[in-house]
Structure formats: structure tokens, C-alpha cells
Amino acid sequence: MANERTFLAWVRTSLALIAGALAIDQLAPNIAPAPVRIAICVVLAIIGAGLASLSYRRWARMEAAMRNNQELPYSGLMLVMTVGVAIAALTIALLIFLAR
């Protein structure tokens, strides 16, 4: 059951990233110049879409490894997602600071 909960957590995280991208675009149009705002939204949406699409693959690999008593496979996706979200968050924080 832990593998299913992890899968669902990844899907929730991807939905939150996509919703965050939409919220920035629709609710904070004056936070930054349009090209910067759009770039942030696109990066967040792409990370969210990538996470959603890769979460099933990760779930299946983990499930197969557990059923066959094999070592669980490593995934570098979390590092990519963490760096992307951190850069987007720092950029948004800087834009909020500069807008005041």
C-alpha cells in the first residue's frame, strides 16, 4: 500500500504544480513582465506534467522490484523536480520582493 500512497502523492504534487502555474498566470498578472511570468508558469506546468507522466512508470518499476524481491531502482527525477521548483520559487520570491 505504501507504493500506491507514494504514487498518489506524486500525482497530487503534479496537480499542485499545474494549479500553481495557472494561479500565477491568472491571479498575479502584474507580478512580473509577461515573458517572465509565462516562463515561470511554463516551467511549473512542464514539471507538473512530467511528474504526472513519470509517476506511473516509477510506481510500476517499484511494484515489480518489490514483487520480485529485488533492490528498489533509483530515480533521479526527484532531483530534477526539486531543482526546478526551487528555482521557480526563488524567482517568484524575488519578483514579489521587487514588486513591493
Side-chain angles (χ1 to χ4, degrees):
M1 295 302 273
N3 196 29
E4 286 79 9
R5 285 192 303 270
T6 302
F7 169 74
L8 292 173
W10 282 47
V11 171
R12 280 192 308 270
T13 302
S14 69
L15 286 171
L17 288 167
I18 295 167
L22 181 64
I24 290 169
D25 185 55
Q26 296 297 307
L27 302 176
N30 299 325
I31 195 169
V36 174
R37 189 184 77 247
I38 291 170
I40 293 169
C41 294
V42 167
V43 167
L44 288 175
I46 287 173
I47 292 171
L51 183 60
S53 63
L54 293 174
S55 63
Y56 180 80
R57 180 174 174 259
R58 181 186 182 279
W59 172 83
R61 290 176 61 209
M62 295 293 178
E63 191 71 20
M66 287 188 293
R67 289 185 186 273
N68 296 320
N69 291 326
Q70 296 174 343
E71 190 172 315
L72 297 178
Y74 172 78
S75 174
L77 176 64
M78 286 186 258
L79 177 61
V80 172
M81 183 181 71
T82 301
V83 170
V85 171
I87 290 170
L90 289 172
T91 304
I92 292 167
L94 181 63
L95 291 171
I96 291 170
F97 179 74
L98 294 174
R100 303 283 171 205

